[in-house]
Amino acid sequence: MADKELFGVRSKFVDKVSKELISQLLDDILEDGVLNDGEKDSILEDNNSRADKARCLIDMVRRKGDEASKKMIARLKSRDPSLYSELGLSSGQPAPPAAEPPQEWSTTLIRTTEAFWREKQNDRNIYPAPKSSIRNRVALLITNIKFTDEKFSRKGAEKDKENMEKLLTALGYDVVKHTNLTGKAIDDSIIEFSKHPKLKETDSVLVVIMSHGKLGAVLGVNCKNETSGDEEPDEFLINNIYKHLGSEKCSALLDKPKIIIIQACRGAEGGSVFVNDGANSALVCDDVRQPDPSPSAGEENLEDDTLRCVHKEKDFISLLSSTPDTVSYRQTDRGSLLIQYVVEVLNTSAHEDDIEELFRKVMQRFEDFSVHTKRQMPTKDRCTLTKRFYLFPGV
């Protein structure tokens, strides 16, 4: 069957076909009646990269069945005999399965189509996002770069701040920025953010915090490698985010998605020790070795069962940069791996994927990450989303 033959060479076709050949094939199969004008325009206009156009073309044709697939194969043979032969189509047999080509990551945000946004507005399983609310989006961005103890300063974090601000702005969020805060100042800034006048009109909020950390806490700029029992540690308890932005303290965000991204270590498991950003170190971790956390610091995921008129904690989703007790890594020239991957995935897929799928794709990026014996795996945490949330970039 010709449609199965096309499926067998799909990956290699996507990898090898040129933009010029795609355009020629589209003209040919339009003339053959395989596609109509709308389908041809959809392939060209709804896909930014060459690979996406090729993938959409071959998928659309093979789904139309054997006859349509035969016509495309005949046109391919006429237009590019060399590629036709390389794909193994000359014998009528599918070429051996080829590995899927590497994902092409977009460096700019791909826009959602008006039709896609309109379609999702009628789905009760999706959080509503009217254009008036999208225009009132607001985000909080906190980045700790320079610390009182200079050996803790986070080289490369400047790049994280720049990249996240660019992404959030492109997604339509008005970004409230803070840099180099103590633990108390982080807490105060989130309380202040919970009173932002735009929260009543927004469809969602994004909170991004980037610093050193330990299990259950983000460290402030006055943190020390070790804290005596008499001295209060400079830290912000992550659990406070859910308190300050939850239903009880922030009614303006009731039933609205609250997306949290935290780039910070959650411990030093695996024999990791404090690492400062030395001149010869291109990959460092956001861990400041701390004593074992007290039970209260490690229990941020335990909640009391309390009867309330509304859910105490709902519509949150968090992406933490590592699993509990482990470190997360940062390149001193490009910034944190988590932030790099978040930007790439959202730029490429936010126009069509909901936030949980986007976070899954970010986590998937770390499956193959390996530098000697180093490993890192982000974690989706405390997800209480009851519907799917789409960012609808560009609407």
Side-chain angles (χ1 to χ4, degrees), residues 18 25 31 36 42 72 78 100 105 118 123 128 137 140 144 154 165 167 178 191 198 223 276 313 317 348 394-395:
S18 67
L25 289 173
E31 183 179 322
N36 58 40
S42 174
M72 177 169 164
S78 173
E100 192 71 30
W105 299 106
R118 193 178 298 112
D123 191 333
R137 284 179 171 174
L140 178 63
N144 280 352
R154 303 173 62 246
E165 183 178 357
L167 175 65
H178 297 282
I191 292 173
K198 276 193 172 184
C223 68
N276 68 340
E313 181 177 316
I317 184 171
T348 306
V395 170

Side-chain angles (χ1 to χ4, degrees), residues 4 7 11 18 32 57-58 77 87 99 105 109 111 122 127 144 240 268 286 297 318:
K4 292 181 179 178
F7 182 76
S11 296
S18 67
D32 290 341
L57 166 61
I58 195 169
K77 181 180 180 180
L87 293 176
W105 299 106
L109 195 65
R111 297 168 63 92
N122 298 321
Y127 284 100
N144 280 352
N240 285 353
D286 281 329
S318 302

